[in-house]
Amino acid sequence: MDDYIKWIQESLTALGYEPGPVDGINGVLTETAVKKFQTDSHLAVDGMVGDCTHDVLSAALNSTLVQVVERSPIALKNFTTDEFKCYCGCGLDVCETLKGFAQNLRDYFGWPLFISSGARCPPVNRAEGGVPDSCHLTGEAFDGYFPGHMNESVMQHMADFAVGQGIGVIRYPNQLFCHFQVYPRNSITY
């Protein structure tokens, strides 16, 4: 099972294509759905997700997510509306679930939470050194830290709080920040 193929299958399903089961196997149905997406997107049709198809697929997902997020904003008392958005100005934003979590995290600790990286479009993700299937690309992740308070103990406490809220977390103790994402995760430290 390939996680990147699963991401492709999930993405195509979210966009209304039918890649078959989300099983991480690049079968005939997945290849057919990729070809249909490539045709509809005026791309070279080869049934493979290379850099160009990946970027267009990510952008299509981002566009869909931005529309959903714009319909259901939440009130944030300690953050501006732009803090979670892609810094290039494309409009891609972090999902409401994570914005609510960020507010809860800030309330729990009582310290200002700095969002060092929110949603990222494909060009920004590449510039930041993000992985090709980064949750930042779909607005389902942000990185943050408490200025002046970060150490391993605080990071562990942040991670425990996130897991208790059903939020995935990756700790970066060498850089003193945490990555939070919609999908549960708590076994990785960089």
Side-chain angles (χ1 to χ4, degrees):
M1 179 169 55
D2 185 308
D3 287 340
Y4 185 64
I5 299 298
K6 281 181 70 176
W7 176 83
I8 292 168
Q9 292 167 331
E10 290 168 348
S11 301
L12 290 167
T13 300
L15 294 170
Y17 295 87
E18 298 177 11
V22 178
D23 57 7
I25 299 169
N26 192 17
V28 175
L29 293 175
T30 300
E31 184 177 335
T32 301
V34 169
K35 286 179 178 178
K36 175 73 171 132
F37 175 79
Q38 289 171 326
T39 299
D40 292 350
S41 301
H42 308 290
L43 299 169
V45 178
D46 61 5
M48 297 170 52
V49 179
D51 289 342
C52 187
T53 299
H54 175 90
D55 289 351
V56 174
L57 184 58
S58 292
L61 278 172
N62 293 344
S63 176
T64 301
L65 182 63
V66 167
Q67 292 170 11
V68 170
V69 168
E70 287 176 351
R71 285 191 297 240
S72 57
I74 63 169
L76 296 173
K77 63 183 180 181
N78 296 108
F79 298 95
T80 67
T81 57
D82 293 333
E83 284 184 76
F84 297 94
K85 290 183 179 179
C86 183
Y87 67 73
C88 79
C90 68
L92 179 63
D93 203 357
V94 166
C95 68
E96 296 300 304
T97 298
L98 284 179
K99 288 180 183 180
F101 166 73
Q103 184 63 59
N104 291 341
L105 185 66
R106 196 243 183 255
D107 290 344
Y108 180 77
F109 280 87
W111 301 323
L113 178 65
F114 181 76
I115 308 302
S116 54
S117 183
R120 299 192 301 228
C121 65
V124 168
N125 189 59
R126 276 193 298 277
E128 295 287 318
V131 295
D133 62 344
S134 171
C135 291
H136 289 277
L137 288 164
T138 55
E140 296 173 305
F142 74 86
D143 300 335
Y145 65 93
F146 295 114
H149 298 283
M150 298 303 292
N151 58 44
E152 284 192 41
S153 177
V154 169
M155 293 181 76
Q156 182 61 51
H157 203 75
M158 291 170 76
D160 292 343
F161 182 81
V163 170
Q165 300 283 308
I167 299 295
V169 61
I170 301 172
R171 289 163 281 163
Y172 290 81
N174 292 337
Q175 298 168 331
L176 296 176
F177 76 89
C178 287
H179 164 93
F180 300 101
Q181 63 185 42
V182 172
Y183 305 105
R185 168 183 251 167
N186 189 30
S187 60
I188 299 178
T189 303
Y190 290 104

